[in-house]
């Protein structure tokens, strides 16, 4: 199986501070991979560096075999990678519909865009009900649904999700998790999921990287990561 994303020895510094140190990770085509770790571990920094939102100090990022290191963010998006950022970053004074249209702004396939509108409305029925409502007036869960739907409207091959469960009620997290699983299963979209909620992450992903202080400390399939001492102590309590 080929890798849609291959990050090799990525390092990101802020002045003399090292935020991410020599990280390597891969996302196989059509799979869900998760990146877990505490606040400040370097998870969001890693995503932002992949997307070209912040510069890397060393290392390479390959997408579908192409070196995209140092490319502008808009060019990375055109390649087929889309980030749903932490905090959603919607346009609060625009309607749900207009936020979705902006997600598809780089596309020229009108029939595909029309089809994807129906797809995200089926995936998130609340968005159809609220399509004329301003995004800023939605509940937190509905805003996260809209953020993910807007990402889908860009027709990504690789969807990067940064803390999608943050601040949401358990029942909403469960619904979002099922929607993420469906996007992967139905459309074959590869997903890189950054999460602190390990129960959600482990329920969705097949492979996991654990970050601590900017470095990968464990990696492996979900079953083996569950049993890793560092992960058990940090997230599930030690026996």
């Amino acid at each position: 199986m080929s890798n849609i994303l291959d990050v090799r020895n990525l390092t990101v510094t802020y002045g003399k501070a090292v935020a991410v140190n020599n990280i390597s990770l891969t996302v196989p085509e059509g799979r869900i991979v998760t990146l877990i770790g505490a606040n400040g571990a370097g998870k969001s920094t890693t995503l932002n560096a992949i997307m070209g939102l912040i510069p890397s100090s060393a290392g390479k990022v390959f997408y579908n075999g192409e070196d995209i290191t140092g490319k502008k963010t808009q060019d990375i998006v055109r390649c087929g990678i889309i980030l749903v950022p932490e905090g959603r970053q919607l346009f609060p004074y625009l309607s749900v519909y207009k936020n979705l249209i902006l997600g598809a702004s780089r596309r020229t396939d009108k029939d595909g865009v029309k089809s994807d509108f129906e797809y995200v409305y089926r995936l998130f029925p609340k968005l159809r009900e609220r399509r004329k409502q301003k995004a800023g007036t939605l509940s937190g869960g509905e805003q996260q649904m809209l953020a993910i739907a807007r990402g889908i409207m860009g027709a990504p091959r690789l969807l990067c999700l940064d803390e999608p469960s943050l601040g949401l009620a358990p029942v909403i997290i469960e619904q979002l998790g099922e929607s993420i699983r469906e996007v992967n299963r139905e459309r074959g979209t590869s997903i890189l999921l950054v999460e602190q909620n390990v129960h959600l992450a482990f329920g969705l992903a097949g492979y996991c990287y654990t970050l601590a202080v900017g470095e990968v400390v464990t990696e492996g399939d979900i079953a083996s990561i569950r049993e890793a001492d560092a992960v058990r102590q940090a997230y599930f309590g030690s026996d």
Side-chain angles (χ1 to χ4, degrees), residues 9-12 18-25 35-46 208-219 230-231 235:
N9 308 114
L10 184 70
T11 296
V12 178
V18 180
V20 168
N21 185 28
N22 203 36
I23 283 178
S24 294
L25 63 87
L35 196 57
I36 65 171
N39 271 334
K43 306 185 304 299
S44 294
T45 298
T46 300
C208 175
Y209 294 85
T210 306
L211 262 60
V213 201
E215 297 184 354
V216 174
V217 291
T218 58
E219 67 169 281
V231 175
Y235 295 105

Side-chain angles (χ1 to χ4, degrees), residues 145-237:
M145 291 173 192
L146 177 55
I148 294 173
R150 184 179 62 180
I152 293 169
M153 290 300 298
R157 287 187 61 196
L158 173 64
L159 185 61
C160 299
L161 303 174
D162 194 357
E163 303 280 10
S165 75
L166 192 65
L168 302 181
V171 65
I172 302 298
I173 293 172
E174 187 176 342
Q175 291 171 6
L176 281 175
E178 184 50 46
S179 299
I180 292 166
R181 185 180 291 109
E182 187 172 333
V183 171
N184 170 252
R185 183 176 57 233
E186 285 194 358
R187 297 168 72 96
T189 306
S190 308
I191 294 173
L192 178 57
L193 171 66
V194 159
E195 260 297 342
Q196 286 191 68
N197 184 329
V198 294
H199 298 286
L200 174 65
F202 287 4
L204 292 174
Y207 200 88
C208 175
Y209 294 85
T210 306
L211 262 60
V213 201
E215 297 184 354
V216 174
V217 291
T218 58
E219 67 169 281
D221 60 70
I222 295 301
S224 64
I225 289 293
R226 267 186 198 278
E227 297 304 315
D229 288 341
V231 175
R232 289 175 66 189
Q233 290 173 9
Y235 295 105
F236 300 108

Side-chain angles (χ1 to χ4, degrees), residues 26-125:
T26 59
V27 179
E29 182 88 44
R31 298 296 180 89
I32 301 178
V33 172
T34 189
L35 196 57
I36 65 171
N39 271 334
K43 306 185 304 299
S44 294
T45 298
T46 300
L47 285 189
N48 288 335
I50 290 169
M51 294 300 303
L53 292 165
I54 55 175
S56 56
S57 308
K60 294 284 187 180
V61 178
F62 294 89
Y63 169 73
N64 206 29
E66 177 188 352
D67 186 355
I68 61 169
T69 314
K71 281 184 177 287
K72 294 180 179 179
T73 301
Q74 59 264 37
D75 294 328
I76 292 172
V77 170
R78 288 191 190 99
C79 287
I81 310 178
I82 287 181
L83 171 65
V84 178
E86 181 180 354
R88 297 145 198 166
Q89 296 184 25
L90 300 170
F91 297 94
Y93 298 109
L94 297 181
S95 68
V96 165
Y97 174 79
K98 287 183 178 178
N99 270 271
L100 293 174
I101 281 287
L102 286 170
S105 59
R106 70 181 181 87
R107 296 175 61 179
T108 57
D109 56 326
K110 292 183 179 180
D111 289 342
V113 171
K114 184 178 179 180
S115 175
D116 279 350
F117 261 111
E118 288 307 310
Y119 178 75
V120 297
Y121 284 154
R122 179 171 62 80
L123 195 64
F124 302 113

